[in-house]
């Protein structure tokens, strides 16, 4: 076997590690804890899975399950006799409340075909023919100095070869197995065994065969009935197919009629579109043809002109009435003008009130002053001739002053009264009250005059506004008339507009009529096209000839549909009958079985019974042969081991030691230069270790059905450079014989020796 590549997904401390190897010698170099031993253990794991506990008390599984992923998993590509295989193995923990348990899955796949091979057997046992313990004691070599061979497992394998010709079965186990197999075939006294069981089965099957024959007669009858039902069903189905074909042809004929209708409508649609286009062109003036909005605008504009015209007439009439309205009299008008000259009615009344108040004041003050003067005069007369000179002087002065004051206010009274009378005379009144009434009449006349003037002005402004509106409405109407290329009339505007509106309505009605006709046909065309979108006219016409179309014209489609429904019902009825018969057949066949199968099984049982009887005889002969085996084969094993070990030792010792012998107990001896046979214990420690490696190579050559890869895990650690070079030459010899080697080391010496000694050696340095 050649290991081409390993893919470590999760193993020990390694994750996602891939290495491709040389067919001969591979040196994996790295410091301690770099993963060398993990890679070696991974190769053994891929071949055999996990073993038992290691020397430190931990199971191999617990040591190699990755702490981060909680699992061990990987693949190994190998080549065996020019065929490539992919070995896969995974170990994962499983749910268990009591303890931690693991599930291990493995497979061997043929790389060329992709098909699984060899079932669930481990790759080591499949390809090498040895178990994990023997592989570990031969092909897995640790440090030299600890290279002794486990005599138990290896000696047992050698004894197996000596006594039976195979390393798997020794004499005692072979005899016991043969005896067990004989007992399993036929118990002593005929009380049981496989041969007796087969005879009972043969009798039971014969009874079942007889019952099956009766049931199969009924099966034949039911199958005949089922055949008749299926024939009737086929007849109904054929009729249904013919009616479906007729219905399809009828539908295609209807489709052809629809296509013909579509083409006629398309032509008519084109004609309607052309007529509509010509009508629009014929009624387009100045690049414009009226629409509904134009008619609406025209009616609105006409209404606006009429309303503006009437509004203007009403405004002019109202203005004339305001101008001709009866106003105030000329006398009142003069009075208003005189009032304006005097400052207005309020000013006049203020002045008149002031004159009146002053007159009253002057009367009061003058009267008081006159009374005082009169009092002074009376006093002077009374006290005349008395000694009251001072009083008389004072009273005289008072009388003079009072007379002066009285005179002043009398004069002012006359002046104020004169002014008041003059003001009253201005307006032709004789008293203050008449003046007030006259002024009130003047104020009312003034207000009336001003209101009439304002109303007249407003009426005049309304006439101007109405005239502007009338002109604007006429301008809008004129613009609309000109838009369609018409000239506004100079007279008879109403008749002109009536005619224009009638023409527009006639145009719009005709346009809408043509447009509706065109649109209706277009809608019909689009609907027909949508319904025919997934139909090919060429294909449809190709399926129905004109002659067949003519023949279909007289077919009643309802009769076709009814015929299809009747045929479907008949098919369904026959299916129901067939279903019932098939269920009966299924029950009969399940109960009856196949007579031919019973015959075959009876014949097979009879054959097996005869074979077992012959095998029982053969086991009896073989047991006698094993018990009488000779020692001839024993004599062949030791020379074979010694011869192969000698060839390897000659290479490692440069032919210093040329004769070795291996006894039954794996005891190694050699012939010295004087020809004497000596135990290997006479050799130096290094030479003795190399001798045991040579014995391992001899055992591998003899015990393995396929050359295994040999692993040297730090096997060169205690060897000097000379012995290390000799061992590398021996490894090259093994490689030349087809045995791939792996050297795991923490030193660079082995890589250098391999590169010098073996062409194409693989060197791998781990970080």
């Amino acid at each position: 076997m050649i290991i081409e590549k390993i893919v470590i997904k999760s193993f020990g401390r390694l994750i996602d590690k891939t290495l491709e190897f040389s067919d001969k010698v591979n040196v994996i170099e790295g410091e301690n804890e770099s993963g060398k031993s993990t890679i070696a253990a991974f190769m053994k794991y891929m071949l055999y899975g996990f073993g038992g506990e290691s020397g430190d008390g931990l199971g191999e599984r617990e040591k190699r399950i990755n702490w981060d992923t909680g699992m061990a998993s990987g693949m190994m590509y190998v080549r065996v006799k020019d065929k490539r295989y992919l070995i896969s193995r995974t170990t994962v923990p499983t749910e268990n409340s009591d303890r931690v348990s693991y599930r291990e899955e493995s497979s061997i796949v043929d790389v060329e075909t992709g098909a699984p091979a060899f079932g669930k057997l481990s790759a080591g046992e499949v390809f090498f023919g040895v178990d994990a313990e023997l592989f570990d004691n031969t092909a897995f070599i640790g440090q030299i100095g600890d290279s002794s061979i486990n005599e138990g497992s290896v000696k047992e394998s050698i004894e197996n070869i000596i006594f039976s010709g195979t390393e798997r079965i020794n004499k005692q186990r072979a005899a016991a197995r043969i005896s067990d197999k004989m007992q399993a075939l036929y118990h002593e006294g005929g009380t049981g065994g496989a041969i007796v069981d087969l005879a009972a089965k043969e009798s039971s099957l014969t009874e079942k065969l007889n019952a099956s024959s009766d049931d199969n007669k009924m099966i034949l009858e039911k199958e005949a009935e089922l055949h008749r039902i299926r024939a009737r069903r086929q007849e109904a189905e054929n009729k249904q197919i013919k009616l479906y074909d007729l219905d399809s042809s009828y539908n295609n004929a209807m489709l052809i009629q629809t296509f013909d209708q579509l083409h006629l409508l398309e032509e008519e649609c084109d004609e309607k579109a052309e007529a509509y286009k010509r009508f629009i062109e014929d009624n387009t003036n100045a690049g414009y043809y009226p629409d509904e909005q134009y008619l609406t605008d025209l009616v609105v504009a006409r209404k606006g002109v009429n309303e503006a015209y009437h509004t203007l007439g009403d405004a002019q009439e109202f203005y004339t009435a305001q101008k001709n309205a009866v106003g105030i009299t000329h006398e009142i008008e003069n009075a208003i003008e005189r009032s304006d000259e005097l400052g207005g009615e309020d000013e006049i009344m203020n002045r008149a009130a002031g004159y009146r108040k002053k007159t009253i004041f002057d009367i009061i003050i003058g009267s008081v002053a006159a009374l005082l003067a009169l009092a002074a005069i009376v006093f002077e007369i009374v006290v005349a001739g008395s000694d009251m000179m001072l009083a008389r002087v004072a009273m005289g002065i008072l009388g003079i002053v009072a007379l002066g004051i009285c005179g002043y206010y009398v004069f002012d009274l006359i002046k104020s009264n004169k002014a008041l009378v003059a003001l009253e005379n201005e307006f032709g009144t004789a008293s203050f009250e008449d003046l007030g009434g006259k002024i009130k009449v003047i104020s009312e006349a003034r207000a009336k005059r001003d209101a009439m003037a304002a109303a007249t002005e407003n009426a005049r402004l309304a006439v101007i506004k109405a005239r502007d509106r009338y002109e604007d409405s006429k301008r809008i109407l004129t613009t609309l008339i000109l838009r369609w290329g018409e000239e506004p009339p100079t007279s008879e505007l109403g008749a002109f507009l009536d005619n224009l509106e009638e023409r527009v309505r006639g145009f719009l009605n005709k346009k809408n009529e043509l447009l509706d006709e065109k649109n209706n046909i277009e809608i019909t065309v689009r609907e027909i096209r949508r319904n025919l979108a997934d139909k090919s006219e060429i294909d449809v016409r190709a399926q129905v000839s004109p002659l067949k179309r003519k023949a279909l014209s007289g077919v009643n489609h309802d009769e076709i549909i009814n015929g299809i429904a009747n045929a479907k019902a008949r098919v369904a009825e026959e299916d129901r009958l067939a279903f019932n018969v098939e269920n009966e057949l299924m029950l009969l066949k399940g109960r009856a079985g196949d007579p031919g199968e019973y015959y075959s099984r009876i014949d097979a049982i009879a054959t097996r019974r005869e074979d077992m009887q012959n095998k029982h005889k053969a086991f009896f002969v073989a047991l006698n042969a094993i018990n009488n085996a000779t020692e001839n084969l024993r004599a062949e094993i030791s020379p074979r081991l010694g011869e192969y070990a000698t060839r390897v030792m000659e290479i490692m010792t440069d032919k210093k030691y040329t004769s070795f012998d291996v006894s039954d107990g794996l005891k190694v001896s050699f012939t010295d230069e004087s020809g004497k046979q000596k135990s290997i214990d006479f050799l130096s420690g290094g030479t003795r270790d190399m001798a045991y490696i040579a014995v391992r190579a001899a055992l591998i050559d003899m015990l393995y059905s396929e050359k295994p890869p040999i692993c040297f895990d730090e096997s060169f650690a205690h060897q000097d450079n000379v012995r290390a070079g000799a061992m590398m030459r021996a490894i090259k010899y093994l490689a030349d014989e087809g045995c791939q080697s792996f050297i795991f080391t923490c030193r660079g010496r082995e890589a250098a020796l391999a590169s010098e000694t073996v062409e194409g050696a693989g060197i791998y340095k781990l970080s």
Side-chain angles (χ1 to χ4, degrees):
M1 170 192 283
I2 300 298
I3 300 177
E4 296 181 341
K5 181 171 72 173
I6 62 172
V7 180
I8 302 175
K9 294 183 179 179
S10 175
F11 193 82
R13 297 174 61 185
L14 299 180
I15 294 178
D16 295 332
K17 183 76 172 178
T18 300
L19 292 174
E20 296 187 17
F21 297 119
S22 166
D23 290 358
K24 295 183 178 180
V25 178
N26 298 273
V27 179
I28 292 88
E29 176 187 327
E31 298 178 357
N32 292 334
E33 303 299 327
S34 63
K36 303 186 301 298
S37 297
T38 302
I39 294 174
F42 176 78
M43 293 179 181
K44 188 162 60 174
Y45 167 71
M46 295 308 295
L47 292 171
Y48 290 101
F50 285 122
E53 290 189 353
S54 58
D56 54 11
L58 289 175
E60 184 69 13
R61 180 188 296 109
E62 284 72 20
K63 291 177 62 177
R64 303 306 179 186
I65 291 293
N66 185 275
W67 289 2
D68 294 328
T69 64
M71 60 184 296
S73 177
M75 299 180 293
M76 185 164 72
Y77 291 85
V78 301
R79 189 172 67 250
V80 180
K81 295 183 174 63
D82 297 327
K83 288 197 70 173
R84 298 180 68 236
Y85 297 94
L86 171 61
I87 304 171
S88 301
R89 191 178 291 274
T90 301
T91 303
V92 296
T94 58
E95 295 293 333
N96 194 316
S97 58
D98 298 332
R99 58 183 178 83
V100 178
S101 60
Y102 295 88
R103 184 182 74 255
E104 187 168 297
E105 296 180 354
S106 64
S107 65
I108 306 173
V109 176
D110 188 323
V111 175
E112 182 177 354
T113 64
F118 307 111
K120 296 296 183 180
L121 296 176
S122 64
E125 293 180 353
V126 167
F127 296 124
F128 305 144
V130 302
D131 58 19
E133 183 181 2
L134 184 58
F135 175 82
D136 204 30
N137 279 287
T138 52
F140 208 83
I141 303 172
Q143 291 185 5
I144 295 180
D146 187 25
S147 60
S148 60
I149 300 170
N150 185 325
E151 290 188 15
S153 64
V154 178
K155 182 179 179 182
E156 182 181 358
S157 295
I158 294 176
E159 288 179 349
N160 291 342
I161 294 174
I162 292 174
F163 290 112
S164 65
T166 170
E167 70 275 18
R168 294 185 181 275
I169 305 174
N170 61 24
K171 173 183 175 182
Q172 291 79 8
R173 286 204 300 264
R177 286 188 182 183
I178 291 175
S179 178
D180 291 341
K181 288 182 178 295
M182 289 176 65
Q183 186 71 11
L185 289 175
Y186 191 80
H187 297 176
E188 293 182 5
T191 58
I195 295 174
V196 175
D197 293 341
L198 286 176
K201 286 183 179 180
E202 185 177 357
S203 176
S204 175
L205 286 173
T206 301
E207 293 179 1
K208 291 181 179 180
L209 173 62
N210 296 331
S212 175
S213 299
D214 295 336
D215 287 338
N216 274 279
K217 291 179 182 179
M218 295 181 64
I219 289 174
L220 292 176
E221 294 175 359
K222 291 295 181 181
E223 286 180 342
E225 182 181 355
L226 182 62
H227 177 73
R228 291 191 295 272
I229 292 172
R230 287 174 176 171
R232 293 196 303 268
R233 184 194 184 282
Q234 187 62 46
E235 180 183 354
E237 188 175 20
N238 292 339
K239 184 176 181 179
Q240 182 180 341
I241 292 171
K242 290 180 180 179
L243 289 172
Y244 271 128
D245 291 340
L246 185 60
D247 181 59
S248 176
S249 298
Y250 181 85
N251 291 333
N252 286 332
M254 294 300 100
L255 284 176
I256 292 172
Q257 290 184 9
T258 305
F259 277 117
D260 292 340
Q261 180 188 5
L262 174 63
H263 299 325
L264 292 175
L265 287 173
E266 287 173 341
E267 293 176 2
E268 185 178 356
C269 185
D270 293 340
E271 292 174 358
K272 294 295 182 182
E274 183 62 29
Y276 176 78
K277 179 181 178 183
R278 284 198 307 271
F279 178 75
I280 295 298
E281 291 175 352
D282 293 343
N283 289 277
T284 299
N285 294 322
Y288 177 80
Y289 64 89
D291 54 9
E292 283 75 6
Q293 187 60 44
Y294 178 77
L295 180 60
T296 301
D297 293 343
L298 189 62
V299 172
V300 172
R302 182 179 183 180
K303 182 179 179 181
V305 170
N306 290 335
E307 290 177 352
Y309 176 76
H310 291 301
T311 301
L312 177 59
D314 293 341
Q316 288 176 337
E317 183 179 349
F318 181 73
Y319 177 57
T320 302
Q322 289 297 110
K323 287 196 300 181
N324 296 332
V326 177
I328 60 177
T329 63
H330 184 66
E331 180 184 357
I332 294 300
E333 184 66 35
N334 290 334
I336 292 172
E337 291 178 1
R338 183 59 182 156
S339 176
D340 290 338
E341 291 174 358
L342 295 176
E345 288 80 13
D346 292 340
E347 178 62 25
I348 292 171
M349 288 307 296
N350 289 335
R351 285 166 61 187
Y355 289 150
R356 186 178 184 185
K357 289 179 181 178
K358 194 171 185 182
T359 299
I360 294 171
F361 181 76
D362 288 343
I363 291 172
I364 294 171
I365 297 300
S367 296
V368 172
L371 289 174
L372 287 176
L374 181 60
I377 293 173
V378 172
F379 182 78
E380 283 293 335
I381 293 174
V382 172
V383 296
S386 67
D387 294 334
M388 300 175 63
M389 184 58 71
L390 182 60
R392 292 175 60 191
V393 172
M395 289 301 292
I397 293 172
L398 177 61
I400 293 170
V401 172
L403 286 174
I405 291 172
C406 180
Y408 173 77
Y409 278 102
V410 170
F411 176 77
D412 190 62
L413 173 62
I414 295 170
K415 182 180 177 183
S416 297
N417 187 54
K418 185 178 180 180
L420 178 59
V421 171
L423 190 59
E424 290 172 352
N425 291 336
E426 279 291 334
F427 294 97
T429 59
S431 65
F432 177 78
E433 287 76 10
D434 292 342
L435 178 62
K438 188 67 175 285
I439 291 301
K440 181 178 180 182
V441 171
I442 292 172
S443 295
E444 291 174 354
R446 180 191 294 278
K448 181 179 180 182
R449 186 197 66 178
D450 291 345
M452 292 176 65
T456 304
E457 179 63 21
N458 289 336
R460 186 184 68 81
L461 293 175
V463 170
I464 295 173
K465 184 177 180 181
R467 183 177 290 107
D468 292 341
R469 180 183 172 193
Y470 178 62
E471 292 299 328
D472 289 341
S473 62
K474 286 199 303 182
R475 185 167 52 256
I476 292 171
L477 180 60
T478 302
T479 301
L480 286 172
I481 294 172
L482 292 172
R483 186 183 298 175
W484 199 20
E486 297 290 331
E487 288 294 332
T490 56
S491 62
E492 301 294 334
L493 178 61
F496 173 81
L497 291 176
D498 289 341
N499 179 265
L500 180 61
E501 289 179 9
E502 188 62 31
R503 287 170 54 204
V504 172
R505 288 191 183 92
F507 167 77
L508 292 176
N509 291 336
K510 183 64 176 177
K511 186 196 77 165
N512 291 335
E513 179 183 348
L514 292 174
L515 185 61
D516 289 343
E517 291 177 356
K518 180 177 76 70
N519 289 341
N520 289 336
I521 294 176
E522 286 180 348
I523 291 172
T524 303
V525 169
R526 283 198 298 271
E527 183 66 20
I528 294 175
R529 284 177 178 168
R530 184 179 64 80
N531 294 333
L532 298 176
D534 59 339
K535 307 294 189 301
S536 170
E537 183 176 2
I538 296 175
D539 293 342
V540 171
R541 290 185 181 276
Q543 293 177 26
V544 185
S545 64
L547 185 61
K548 192 171 185 179
R549 286 176 57 193
K550 184 177 180 180
L552 288 169
S553 61
V555 171
N556 188 334
H557 189 243
D558 291 339
E559 293 181 358
I560 297 175
I561 299 300
N562 292 333
I564 292 174
N566 293 334
K568 280 185 177 179
R570 184 177 171 189
V571 169
E573 175 62 19
E574 298 299 341
D575 285 339
R576 186 187 66 80
L577 294 174
F579 177 77
N580 293 334
V581 173
E582 285 172 351
N583 285 338
E584 293 176 3
L585 274 172
M586 182 175 63
L587 293 174
L588 286 171
K589 288 181 178 179
R591 184 180 68 191
D594 184 4
E597 181 181 350
Y598 282 121
Y599 279 120
S600 299
R601 290 171 63 184
I602 291 172
D603 184 62
I605 288 175
T607 302
R608 286 177 59 193
R609 181 165 52 82
E610 184 178 353
D611 290 341
M612 288 182 181
Q613 290 172 343
N614 293 332
K615 188 179 293 185
H616 186 270
K617 295 177 181 179
F619 283 152
F620 180 78
V621 174
L623 181 61
N624 290 333
I626 288 175
N627 291 328
N628 296 322
T630 64
E631 298 293 328
N632 293 335
L633 189 57
R634 178 190 298 273
E636 298 178 4
I637 299 302
S638 293
R640 283 177 56 188
L641 290 175
E643 180 184 354
Y644 196 94
T646 299
R647 289 204 305 269
V648 176
M649 282 298 291
E650 284 180 349
I651 296 171
M652 288 193 288
T653 61
D654 198 16
K655 296 187 178 181
K656 181 177 181 180
Y657 298 98
T658 59
S659 179
F660 279 82
D661 181 58
V662 181
S663 66
D664 294 346
L666 297 180
K667 301 298 183 181
V668 182
S669 60
F670 70 99
T671 303
D672 63 6
E673 295 175 352
S674 63
K676 292 182 179 181
Q677 191 79 13
K678 293 184 177 181
S679 170
I680 195 173
D681 295 332
F682 284 91
L683 297 175
S684 65
T687 305
R688 185 169 60 249
D689 291 336
M690 287 192 292
Y692 275 107
I693 289 177
V695 172
R696 281 183 179 243
L699 289 170
I700 288 171
D701 179 68
M702 182 175 64
L703 298 178
Y704 284 71
S705 58
E706 171 71 19
K707 296 283 187 181
I710 302 177
C711 294
F712 297 89
D713 189 5
E714 296 292 356
S715 302
F716 290 69
H718 301 295
Q719 299 293 327
D720 57 25
N721 292 339
V722 174
R723 285 200 176 101
M727 288 180 63
M728 190 62 68
R729 288 193 299 274
I731 291 173
K732 177 182 181 302
Y733 170 76
L734 296 176
D736 292 339
E737 287 206 336
C739 200
Q740 185 184 30
S741 297
F742 292 88
I743 301 171
F744 298 92
T745 179
C746 62
R747 305 169 62 180
R749 179 187 65 182
E750 283 77 357
L753 288 172
S755 299
E756 293 175 1
T757 308
V758 182
E759 183 179 355
I763 309 299
Y764 309 92
K765 295 187 178 182
L766 303 179
S767 59

